[in-house]
Amino acid sequence: MSKRIYNFSAGPAMLPTEVLEKSAATLLDYEGKGFGIAECSHRGKEFDCVIDEAIKRCKSLLGIGDSHDVLFLQGGATQLFTLIPMNFLNNSADYLVSGEWSKKAAANGKAMGNVNIVASSESTNFDHAPQPSEWKLNPEADYFHVCSNETVHGHRLPTLPKHPNLVVDASSEFMARPHPVQDIALLYGGAQKNLGPAGVVLTIVRKDLYAKQKKVPTKLWSFKDQADAKSMVNTPPTFGIYILLEVFRWLDAKGGLAAMEKINEQKAKLIYEAIDNSNGFYKGTVSIKEQRSRMNITYRLPSDELTDEFVKTAAKNEMVGLKGYRTVGGIRASTYNAMPVEGCQALASFMKDFASKKS
Ligand SMILES: Cc1ncc(COP(=O)(O)O)c(C=O)c1O
């Protein structure tokens, strides 16, 4: 195995080494058949076994019964920003705008119909998610869209709102904690953070939604048709879905989502403590502490020069991907499921050392 370093990239991001090794072997040869998993038909029995096991494990990890379907879609979470209103925005939809991604989702919704922004924290540069007391919900809304973890701004919704048709973009925390799927109408996320490579969007749809679907141009854009075709209206990203299956197996072996959540809390705590104990050298960017993300930890240093030096010196110490999002700056350490506790320990200790040398 080649040497692997700590990659704090926000996505595409680190994947578990065991998953990569198994997937690489299967790319060359699937179960001794003399061909790899990316080289066989999506209509054949080999891939059928893969997708069936992936659906089964996904349902079991998320605790989903018969009420919801598991879909593996394409086009990134961004495509879902359009598909959701295309299918389900009949009269008006509510959107909570808490950061870059929910702002984009709302803008795409607007392009499709009436959107009500229930609250926005843009005036404070998205340093928090608006609190429920500020929300102006429309009781008639077709659905309520939230982003449960804002990847760019580093905050999350500690608890999800209750709504008859709650739609959740969980891209940057999918399967990093348990999700209350029984209270969610549609849950989706790009795979490239916690679940696999870019190119697959894991989508969980409550089946009663299909009855509310509008007419869409072709089956490709229809949730119901994708569900009927087991996500194979056209050729799906077969190898990507295979890697998701390996990640699901890995998550099962780790003890499931509640176990992952505990580890993720422990990892994030190490870095937040390094911020909070730095006598102000590092400043967290999130103004409401209980909203601090466990996945994307965002903070600033006293100057841009020090930020550059921090990123470069960290890279020399085998920690990469720490530069903040292009429009936000500062540092962002993404600590998805595959980041080991040791990676967060190494970063926390590097931060302490750097601060003591530069303060
Ligand atoms: C929360 C969130 N939603 C949506 C997206 C967009 O994903 P994609 O690039 O797969 O369209 C991202 C990408 O980082 C994200 O973090």
Side-chain angles (χ1 to χ4, degrees), residues 150-264:
E150 286 285 359
T151 322
V152 169
H153 296 95
H155 49 76
R156 65 172 203 151
L157 301 176
T159 51
L160 287 180
K162 296 269 187 224
H163 190 275
N165 292 312
L166 184 65
V167 176
V168 182
D169 173 1
S171 291
S172 43
E173 62 162 16
F174 221 157
M175 294 205 178
R177 65 169 175 176
H179 306 275
V181 181
Q182 63 292 344
D183 296 333
I184 301 175
L186 200 153
L187 174 67
Y188 70 97
Q192 64 269 24
K193 292 145 198 309
N194 278 300
L195 301 174
V200 184
V201 192
L202 181 61
T203 309
I204 313 296
V205 190
R206 203 179 61 213
K207 292 178 186 173
D208 66 89
L209 281 186
Y210 303 137
K212 300 179 182 160
Q213 243 185 246
K214 294 192 293 184
K215 193 166 164 32
V216 296
T218 75
K219 285 186 174 184
L220 196 58
W221 314 121
S222 151
F223 288 98
K224 163 98 175 66
D225 286 296
Q226 285 288 11
D228 287 347
K230 218 161 64 174
S231 306
M232 291 188 261
V233 165
N234 66 336
T235 315
T238 52
F239 187 50
I241 295 171
Y242 179 80
I243 300 180
L244 263 74
L245 168 59
E246 285 298 348
V247 169
F248 296 158
R249 288 175 176 162
W250 180 82
L251 285 168
D252 274 327
K254 290 268 169 201
L257 305 190
M260 281 319 303
E261 182 179 39
K262 277 208 181 113
I263 300 172
N264 287 328

